[in-house]
Amino acid sequence: MIHRSSGAVETQHIISDKDWKQLLQDSRITTQQLLEAVGLRAHPQAESEAERLFELRVPQPYIDKIEAGNPHDPLLLQVLPQQREFDPMPGFVNDPLQERQFSPVRGIIHKYQNRVLLIASQACAIHCRYCFRRHFPYAEHRQSRQQWLEALNYVRTHPEIDEVILSGGDPLVLDNDYLAWLLGELADIAHIKHLRIHSRLLSSLPQRVDKGLLDIVTACKKPLVIVVHCNHPNEVDEHLQVALRQLRNAGATLLNQSVLLKDINDNADVLAELSHALFAAGTLPYYLFLLDRVAGAGHFEVSSEDAKRVYTRLSASVSGYLLPRLMVEIPGQVAKTPVTITE
């Protein structure tokens, strides 16, 4: 169960730039350090060698939300390197969304007609083991401010683009000055109607919401949508609730997207609790995705039929505005694809 926020938390001081940056820097740990931090000497599925496949990163605020001594904790299982990551699985590949073919210039992915995604950062505060970009060639998209000019010019010369999505990695690992510059450049493009930030960092490092970031949100010249990524209600602790409310009060529209994960949130009651917790913090459930079939993540997959059963039960237990859309991303389609529940 999650811990509900108290009035005292609402008035807490916003943590300083230095503090969140130090927490970010300290997020690189080992499998054994992770287990020790959550009161476990060992874990039947843990495999430190899997760190070679995908580096382990977990910030302390996320670790603090893991139940001590519980090897089945749903937050722990999202980040724990496992032997099963070495198991070859048919259909699981390094680039499940075929993003390389949709990159017309460095730093940009243009899959859908009216919107583009900017790889604003190569880093993330937390490395979720199911991440569809765990094999992404970030070195090919690393940009300085000067190098961003080609990507920005691409957006300027394509008037069909009306929305730009900052992704990564995680765009909120950028410092405030850099983030303000990038959002400002995009907001000055006349045909851009909305800006969007996708971030897993908020649920793993809510201390990132400092005064500088809130000022950026308030000052943004175009409507700003922030899509957070929470998979389980235990992620929505009092610190995240405060951070989300601060962002909403600063003027951002807040949405959440989740990934349906085996033995973590493939349960209608868990998903209903997540929706209620998010809504209490001013965030609307948006998407519930089937797993992108990235190599190393096969043990997280929920079958399409099981997903439909869970979603049907969820639909019956929450109001419509608390129901995320069950979706799958299929390479080459003109948009994300809704999962059909009934024939």
Side-chain angles (χ1 to χ4, degrees), residues 45 49-50 79 101 118 156 188 251 257 272 300 304 309 319 340:
Q45 295 169 327
E49 284 298 303
V79 296
Q101 68 175 300
L118 263 62
R156 291 188 186 100
D188 284 340
Q257 59 184 13
F300 289 109
S304 178
R309 282 191 284 270
S319 301
T340 303

Side-chain angles (χ1 to χ4, degrees), residues 11-274:
T11 58
Q12 69 180 10
H13 293 296
I14 299 171
I15 201 160
S16 71
D17 249 15
K18 180 179 179 181
D19 290 322
W20 76 260
K21 288 181 179 178
Q22 187 63 55
L23 288 166
L24 178 64
Q25 183 175 327
D26 294 343
S27 68
R28 184 185 289 117
I29 59 174
T30 67
T31 302
Q32 192 56 43
Q33 287 172 333
L34 172 62
L35 293 176
E36 291 172 359
V38 299
L40 293 170
R41 292 184 179 179
H43 191 285
Q45 295 169 327
E47 178 51 75
S48 61
E49 284 298 303
E51 294 173 33
R52 294 191 289 105
L53 302 177
F54 192 38
E55 182 184 55
L56 178 58
R57 281 183 174 268
V58 192
Q60 188 62 47
Y62 186 90
I63 293 173
D64 291 342
K65 292 187 276 193
I66 296 173
E67 182 184 356
N70 180 5
H72 306 293
D73 182 90
L75 275 62
L76 173 64
L77 294 179
Q78 293 181 59
V79 296
L80 180 69
Q82 298 188 30
Q83 175 61 41
R84 291 182 290 181
E85 294 179 42
F86 289 97
D87 295 343
M89 299 282 286
F92 283 76
V93 297
N94 285 356
D95 185 14
L97 302 184
Q98 299 174 17
E99 290 186 315
R100 284 194 177 198
Q101 68 175 300
F102 297 108
S103 181
V105 300
R106 186 183 181 102
I108 277 188
I109 296 173
H110 192 179
K111 290 188 289 188
Y112 306 132
Q113 180 177 350
N114 78 305
R115 54 204 182 274
V116 295
L117 185 147
L118 263 62
I119 301 296
S121 168
Q122 295 75 47
C124 190
I126 187 169
H127 282 182
C128 304
R129 309 309 292 182
Y130 56 86
C131 179
F132 70 92
R133 290 202 183 115
R134 55 182 286 167
H135 305 291
F136 190 79
Y138 284 109
E140 298 177 10
H141 294 271
R142 187 171 290 115
Q143 305 270 62
S144 67
R145 289 199 192 192
Q146 183 62 35
Q147 290 169 327
W148 270 119
L149 296 180
E150 182 181 7
L152 292 168
N153 189 57
Y154 179 88
V155 177
R156 291 188 186 100
T157 56
H158 285 74
E160 74 276 14
I161 298 170
D162 61 21
E163 183 176 31
V164 178
I165 303 165
L166 271 60
S167 184
D170 198 302
L172 292 186
V173 305
L174 299 175
D175 65 37
N176 288 329
D177 287 344
Y178 200 117
L179 184 62
W181 171 79
L182 190 53
L183 286 172
E185 290 292 314
L186 293 166
D188 284 340
I189 299 174
H191 54 86
I192 297 301
K193 297 177 180 177
H194 325 105
L195 296 171
R196 202 191 316 175
I197 292 174
H198 282 203
S199 177
R200 176 63 164 157
L201 187 146
L202 291 172
S203 58
S204 59
L205 187 57
Q207 289 82 356
R208 174 62 183 93
V209 182
D210 59 9
K211 183 179 184 303
L213 180 58
L214 294 172
D215 288 344
I216 290 170
V217 172
T218 300
C220 190
K221 300 175 186 176
K222 297 286 174 71
L224 179 64
V225 177
I226 298 178
V227 181
V228 300
H229 178 175
C230 291
N231 294 318
H232 194 279
N234 290 358
E235 297 176 23
V236 192
D237 66 355
E238 62 270 22
H239 301 293
L240 179 58
Q241 289 176 346
V242 170
L244 294 176
R245 290 182 186 131
Q246 289 173 329
L247 289 167
R248 185 190 60 178
N249 291 339
T253 297
L254 300 180
L255 306 174
N256 181 72
Q257 59 184 13
S258 305
V259 180
L260 193 61
L261 302 167
K262 185 175 177 59
D263 298 327
I264 292 171
N265 63 1
D266 54 337
N267 178 291
D269 292 337
V270 168
L271 293 171
E273 186 178 358
L274 173 61

Side-chain angles (χ1 to χ4, degrees), residues 267-287:
N267 178 291
D269 292 337
V270 168
L271 293 171
E273 186 178 358
L274 173 61
S275 287
H276 283 289
L278 290 163
F279 187 73
T283 304
L284 279 176
Y286 173 45
Y287 281 157

